[in-house]
């Protein structure tokens, strides 16, 4: 079975030059947009394809194969109007992600080229290492360490079962996104970070505004951020904060021992908020798409149900196939260099097309096929690579493994309740995700 590599719902600009290519899976020909003029006054940067790509999370954009073959380092223009280089092969993607020449922290520098309008302070775009001192970073790493996650895993499974108890008692159909993946993820992140269930739901609900991809800032995003950070700051300063488990409790105790300032309190509150957003956003989007991929590949879902011991390797393949990352991984070139024979100037924005790299047949034979036994799956770049490799990977894998195991055990007849082509895919958002995902079982 396949992960649906049809051409998808992408609409070409009528003014674009058309290139005929063949879809790797279906064998059908289709039109792939070629150069599109930039905004007025910027025609010298003729984009090779429109950006971002199609938002459907069940169909690999056909243009990915065209890019790998014809424009492995392509010109695009971001929603913020910035010119950028789009890297689509696995080889070049891993080089960008591993080479310190291409910096993540430089995205926070004044005047840096961006993918979309900033809806939050520039410090949010820095890594944890850049945002906090070494002492705080160590505390953060301990809170999301494999040991800490293992201790919390039983609680994750209890919450999964509680949610599934409610769902199965009600009976099908239900929206698995609203009733399971979102609240389950909120609990996982709240547990690790030491937040209350209500606090976690508040932050999760704020994603609908705070993670939008838009060309210009808007008031609602700022108000939402202020509300969420204020709630987190109040929790940090509460008298019982030092007795709380998770990261918030650890930071409250560190704060009590070392003393603090208003500025440091603000930084800690913002950091906790950022960690919830980064972790919750990615894990929730991946989990709902993983369930969808399994429903679209029932033979693989049956195999996994019969081989629960293979869950860890299966999650790696699901991560490889996931189309959740809808806007690429950004980096800034810190010096003049080259990629694939293309000159890259200092301060250029370079975007790593994750679905291009993860579906590169040079690394993953038959990449459109979901194969839960695939040995090479761990070579995916879904978590990045190099020094900015996601530090919460163990949490993300554990989060997904426990949830998938619970669903497969409790819902042996899991299947979509609506035709897949009628799924409403969210637009203007940093992740590819369905607005709802009704299921039967």
């Amino acid at each position: 079975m396949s992960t649906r590599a049809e051409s998808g719902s992408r609409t070409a600009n009528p003014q674009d030059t058309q290139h005929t290519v063949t879809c790797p899976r279906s064998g059908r020909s289709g039109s792939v947009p070629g150069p599109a003029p930039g905004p007025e006054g910027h025609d010298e940067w003729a984009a090779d394809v429109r950006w971002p790509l199609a938002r459907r999370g069940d169909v690999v954009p056909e243009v990915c194969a065209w890019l790998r073959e014809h424009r492995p380092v392509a010109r695009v223009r971001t929603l913020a109007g910035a010119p950028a280089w789009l890297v689509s092969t696995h080889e070049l993607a891993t080089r960008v992600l591993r080479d310190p020449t291409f910096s993540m922290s430089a995205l926070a520098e004044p005047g840096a080229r961006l993918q979309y309008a900033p809806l939050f302070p520039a410090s949010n775009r820095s890594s944890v290492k850049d945002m906090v001192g070494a002492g705080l970073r160590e505390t953060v790493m301990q809170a999301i360490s494999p040991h800490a996650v293992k201790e919390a895993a039983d609680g994750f499974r209890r919450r999964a079962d509680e949610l599934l108890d409610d769902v199965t008692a009600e009976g099908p159909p239900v929206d698995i996104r609203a009733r399971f993946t979102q609240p389950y993820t909120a609990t996982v992140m709240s547990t690790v970070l030491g937040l209350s269930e209500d606090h976690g739901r508040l932050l999760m609900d704020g994603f609908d505004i705070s993670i939008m991809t838009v060309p210009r800032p808007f008031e609602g995003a700022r108000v939402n951020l202020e509300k969420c950070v204020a709630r987190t700051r109040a929790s940090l300063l509460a008298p019982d904060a030092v007795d709380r488990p998770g990261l918030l409790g650890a930071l409250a105790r560190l704060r009590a021992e070392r003393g603090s300032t208003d500025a440091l309190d603000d930084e800690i509150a913002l950091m906790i908020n950022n960690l919830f957003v980064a972790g919750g956003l990615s894990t929730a989007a991946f989990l709902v798409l993983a369930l969808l991929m399994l429903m679209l590949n029932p033979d693989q879902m049956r195999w996994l149900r019969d081989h629960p011991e293979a869950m860890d390797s299966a999650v790696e393949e699901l991560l490889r196939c996931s189309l959740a990352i809808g806007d690429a991984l950004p980096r800034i070139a810190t010096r003049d260099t080259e990629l694939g024979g293309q000159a890259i100037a200092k301060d250029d924005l370079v975007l790593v097309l994750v679905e291009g790299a993860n579906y590169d047949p040079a690394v993953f034979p038959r990449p459109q096929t979901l194969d839960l036994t695939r040995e090479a799956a761990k070579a995916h770049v879904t978590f990045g690579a190099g020094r900015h490799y996601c530090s919460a990977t163990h949490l993300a894998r554990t989060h997904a493994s426990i949830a998938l195991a619970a669903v497969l055990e409790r819902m042996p007849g899991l299947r979509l309740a609506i035709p897949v082509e009628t799924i409403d895919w969210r637009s203007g958002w940093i992740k590819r995700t369905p607005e709802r995902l009704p299921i039967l079982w």
Side-chain angles (χ1 to χ4, degrees), residues 195-251:
L195 308 177
S196 68
E197 287 285 333
D198 286 343
H199 194 165
R201 282 193 293 270
L202 170 75
L203 295 177
M204 186 68 75
D205 289 345
F207 286 0
D208 288 350
I209 293 178
S210 61
I211 312 299
M212 294 184 69
T213 53
V214 292
R216 292 171 297 279
F218 58 93
E219 181 185 12
R222 175 184 56 78
V223 174
N224 176 76
L225 177 65
E226 291 173 352
K227 178 180 74 172
C228 292
V229 174
R231 176 70 177 270
T232 303
R233 192 178 194 278
S235 297
L236 175 70
L237 301 183
D240 64 347
V242 293
D243 299 321
R244 294 192 65 86
L247 177 61
L248 186 138
L251 291 174

Side-chain angles (χ1 to χ4, degrees), residues 90-411:
H90 188 275
E91 178 184 5
L92 293 177
T94 52
R95 180 189 158 190
V96 169
L97 294 172
R98 295 180 186 278
D99 188 342
T101 297
F102 302 98
S103 169
M104 177 186 288
S105 58
L107 293 162
E109 295 297 325
R113 295 174 179 176
L114 300 175
Q115 292 170 282
Y116 29 79
L119 302 182
F120 34 72
S123 60
N124 285 39
R125 296 190 295 272
S126 299
S127 67
V128 171
K129 181 178 180 180
D130 294 327
M131 284 193 297
V132 298
L136 293 183
R137 186 178 188 278
E138 181 180 352
T139 303
V140 172
M141 294 297 98
Q142 289 176 352
I144 60 177
S145 68
H147 175 73
V149 172
K150 182 178 180 180
E151 286 192 333
D154 288 344
F156 299 168
R157 178 57 196 249
R158 284 194 298 272
R159 181 57 173 156
D161 283 329
E162 289 170 359
L163 291 167
L164 292 174
D165 285 344
D166 291 342
V167 166
T168 54
E170 177 182 317
V174 299
D175 177 3
I176 195 69
R177 180 178 183 269
R179 299 291 300 278
F180 180 73
T181 62
Q182 293 289 101
Y184 167 75
T185 300
T187 295
V188 168
M189 295 307 302
S190 297
T191 300
V192 171
L193 298 180
L195 308 177
S196 68
E197 287 285 333
D198 286 343
H199 194 165
R201 282 193 293 270
L202 170 75
L203 295 177
M204 186 68 75
D205 289 345
F207 286 0
D208 288 350
I209 293 178
S210 61
I211 312 299
M212 294 184 69
T213 53
V214 292
R216 292 171 297 279
F218 58 93
E219 181 185 12
R222 175 184 56 78
V223 174
N224 176 76
L225 177 65
E226 291 173 352
K227 178 180 74 172
C228 292
V229 174
R231 176 70 177 270
T232 303
R233 192 178 194 278
S235 297
L236 175 70
L237 301 183
D240 64 347
V242 293
D243 299 321
R244 294 192 65 86
L247 177 61
L248 186 138
L251 291 174
R253 290 187 290 274
L254 192 65
R255 175 182 174 275
E257 294 169 4
R258 298 184 180 181
S260 188
T261 64
D262 287 343
L264 181 58
D265 290 343
D266 289 342
E267 185 176 30
I268 292 174
L270 181 61
M271 180 186 67
I272 293 174
N273 187 77
N274 292 346
L275 289 170
F276 189 100
V277 172
L281 174 72
S282 298
T283 50
F286 166 62
L287 181 56
V288 73
L289 290 191
L291 287 168
L292 175 59
M293 281 188 281
L294 290 174
M295 287 187 282
L296 294 177
N297 294 273
D299 60 331
Q300 292 293 291
M301 183 164 58
R302 285 191 295 270
W303 182 88
L304 184 56
R305 187 177 286 114
D306 293 339
H307 298 84
E309 73 284 355
M311 180 61 75
D312 289 348
S313 60
V315 166
E316 295 303 322
E317 173 69 350
L318 290 166
L319 283 165
R320 181 193 72 82
C321 291
S322 177
L323 300 175
I325 300 176
D327 291 292
L329 302 178
R331 298 292 188 268
I332 295 290
T334 59
R335 61 176 177 84
D336 292 347
T337 185
E338 66 79 32
L339 276 174
Q342 173 64 57
I344 307 295
K346 183 179 183 294
D347 297 328
D348 276 2
L349 176 61
V350 179
L351 304 176
V352 171
L353 184 63
V354 173
E355 61 265 43
N358 283 351
Y359 282 81
D360 190 337
V363 179
F364 308 104
R366 297 189 304 136
Q368 312 293 351
T369 299
L370 179 68
D371 179 3
L372 299 183
T373 66
R374 187 187 299 270
E375 294 184 0
K378 275 195 173 183
H380 67 76
V381 298
T382 302
F383 289 134
R387 60 179 180 152
H388 290 297
Y389 184 75
C390 177
S391 55
T393 55
H394 187 77
L395 173 61
R397 291 179 170 106
T398 301
H399 161 278
S401 296
I402 290 173
L404 293 174
V407 170
L408 293 180
E409 291 171 18
R410 302 286 299 275
M411 296 179 164

Side-chain angles (χ1 to χ4, degrees), residues 71-95:
R71 300 284 193 281
V73 183
R75 295 170 183 252
V76 297
R77 189 169 292 280
T78 72
L79 285 176
W85 299 105
L86 183 66
V87 176
S88 55
T89 68
H90 188 275
E91 178 184 5
L92 293 177
T94 52
R95 180 189 158 190

Side-chain angles (χ1 to χ4, degrees), residues 44-87:
E44 72 278 3
W45 187 271
D48 293 311
V49 294
R50 287 187 180 274
W51 182 258
L53 303 185
R55 307 311 292 178
R56 287 184 64 169
D58 65 322
V59 176
V60 182
E62 187 178 74
V63 71
C64 291
W66 182 87
L67 285 166
R68 282 193 303 266
E69 182 178 355
H70 300 286
R71 300 284 193 281
V73 183
R75 295 170 183 252
V76 297
R77 189 169 292 280
T78 72
L79 285 176
W85 299 105
L86 183 66
V87 176

